[in-house]
Structures are given as C-alpha cells and as structure tokens.
Amino acid sequence: MYYALSRFLLKAFGWKITGQYPDDVKKFILAVVPHTSNWDFPLGILVRGALKKDIKFLGKSSLFKPPLGWLFRALGGYPVDRSK
C-alpha cells in the first residue's frame, strides 16, 4: 500500500526516479545536500517508499521532541545533538 501510494504521489507531482540503487552493497551512507526547500523531506520519504528500501535518516535533535518527535522516529529518523 505504502509503495503504491508513494509511486502514485510522485507521478502525480511530476517526479521520476532515475538511476540505480546499489543493491550489491549491504550498508552505505548517502549524503543528500543541499536542502533547497521544505519539500526535500516529504519527497525523500516518498522516494524511500517507492524504492521499497529500509532507508534511515539523521535530523537535528529538536525535530525529535514533542509534539512530532514520535513521527520522525516512526519514519526511521535518528536525532543528532549538534550542540556538542
């Protein structure tokens, strides 16, 4: 369901996924920069759903506090304390 919804929404918004996901590598880190708008995160979540991959992300720790902290954790996020 999440896969189909993600693909439908990406197509409806005019986005297309190109390139290859490295299936031959078990673990890797992918840095996605620069963030050009507030739509980067929702689009990233849709792409993750469309790829059917267990992709995690890092975010500043203030995002993981109430009221929406539970949502970012449920989406696979890990907080980063940038003050140290």
Side-chain angles (χ1 to χ4, degrees):
M1 173 78 173
Y2 179 59
Y3 166 76
L5 179 62
S6 295
R7 295 195 51 98
F8 171 77
L9 289 174
L10 285 171
K11 188 172 184 175
F13 294 138
W15 289 88
K16 163 170 81 165
I17 300 172
T18 61
Q20 296 292 324
Y21 188 87
D23 287 324
D24 58 335
V25 180
K26 186 172 180 158
K27 290 184 180 182
F28 63 94
I29 296 175
L30 175 66
V32 181
V33 293
H35 298 291
T36 56
S37 79
N38 289 332
W39 286 102
D40 292 343
F41 180 73
L43 284 171
I45 295 299
L46 288 175
V47 168
R48 179 181 73 176
L51 291 175
K52 290 186 178 180
K53 300 292 182 185
D54 183 26
I55 299 172
K56 308 294 185 193
F57 66 91
L58 300 174
K60 60 183 180 177
S61 59
S62 62
L63 292 173
F64 293 84
K65 294 178 181 172
L68 294 176
W70 66 271
L71 176 62
F72 288 108
R73 282 188 178 82
L75 290 171
Y78 291 95
V80 175
D81 183 2
R82 302 184 307 166
S83 67
K84 297 179 181 179

